[in-house]
Amino acid sequence: MTWLQRYRLRHFLRVSFWYVAVAWMVAAVVAVRATWWLDQQTGWSWFDFTPEGARGILTASASSMLTFVVFAVSALLLAVQLAASQLTPRIITFIFSLRSVKVSVGIFVFAYTFTLGALGRIEAQHVPQLLVFVSVLSDLISIGLFFWFVQQVSANLQPVSVLRHMWEQGRLVIDRVYPGALVRLNSPPTRME
């Protein structure tokens, strides 16, 4: 693999967030199967949902979580585009490379996928209670996480944050091209005798 291919792969992994959402989706499918198995082993029945009640809750949760994911990502794209037009186009990669953005979108997708998986496991006579409980809990966590997500994105779209990020990126480039150059400049001058 050439250095250019390695650079492009690193850049892709740092900037793209779709693969993170897909990974969270796969994790949700695995979590649904594990939670369903645990529910069958323990016979957990804390809330005692009926099949109709569980279907109603999970159907409403699934549709609202899909709307929630679409809204969150659309608002993110709109905010980033507006900020890029006023500040710099580099802000787009900066926002999409933030770990908080990737994790937040991933958790939203996890909650949606988990809810769909739980909805598919409800039978006519048996409701996996633990599965429904975890689904409702993940949806509630997603709603709370959304407010933190909005605060993080808005804080990182401020001009001071953008300038700090540009400075850090510029400093990394200088350190890679001229290793040790700033250390020599900041060291005390030597005396010539």
Side-chain angles (χ1 to χ4, degrees):
M1 182 179 281
T2 66
W3 71 269
L4 183 58
Q5 291 170 330
R6 284 193 307 270
Y7 171 78
R8 287 181 178 162
L9 179 63
R10 274 195 317 266
H11 181 63
F12 170 76
L13 292 175
R14 188 172 42 89
V15 174
S16 298
F17 74 91
W18 71 266
Y19 72 91
V20 175
V22 170
W24 280 91
M25 207 179 300
V26 171
V29 170
V30 171
V32 164
R33 294 200 50 91
T35 307
W36 185 56
W37 176 83
L38 185 63
D39 184 72
Q40 287 180 333
Q41 299 300 316
T42 60
W44 202 76
S45 61
W46 194 18
F47 288 114
D48 201 28
F49 291 108
T50 63
E52 295 81 24
R55 273 193 204 94
I57 288 172
L58 294 180
T59 301
S61 291
S63 62
S64 65
M65 282 308 297
L66 179 61
T67 305
F68 189 69
V69 168
V70 170
F71 173 75
V73 173
S74 298
L76 174 68
L77 289 173
L78 183 62
V80 168
Q81 288 294 331
L82 288 173
S85 68
Q86 292 184 357
L87 298 172
T88 174
R90 290 186 180 118
I91 198 168
I92 296 171
T93 57
F94 166 57
I95 295 297
F96 286 145
S97 66
L98 291 174
R99 184 171 289 142
S100 60
V101 170
K102 292 179 181 182
V103 170
S104 299
V105 171
I107 290 174
F108 300 156
V109 170
F110 176 90
Y112 171 67
T113 308
F114 193 93
T115 302
L116 284 181
L119 184 59
R121 300 277 191 289
I122 295 176
E123 300 167 358
Q125 301 300 320
H126 176 68
V127 176
Q129 302 290 321
L130 182 60
L131 201 59
V132 174
F133 170 72
V134 172
S135 176
V136 170
L137 184 64
S138 67
D139 293 344
L140 292 175
I141 288 171
S142 293
I143 292 169
L145 179 68
F146 176 71
F147 296 109
W148 178 78
F149 170 73
V150 169
Q151 188 267 329
Q152 289 294 311
V153 170
S154 65
N156 283 303
L157 287 176
Q158 294 176 355
V160 172
S161 297
V162 174
L163 287 173
R164 183 176 50 244
H165 172 71
M166 293 299 151
W167 158 251
E168 290 168 359
Q169 293 301 312
R171 176 74 187 246
L172 287 173
V173 169
I174 291 170
D175 286 345
R176 276 191 219 127
V177 174
Y178 303 107
L182 291 179
V183 174
R184 285 193 306 270
L185 288 175
N186 292 329
S187 63
T190 57
R191 290 187 175 186
M192 297 219 168
E193 294 182 20

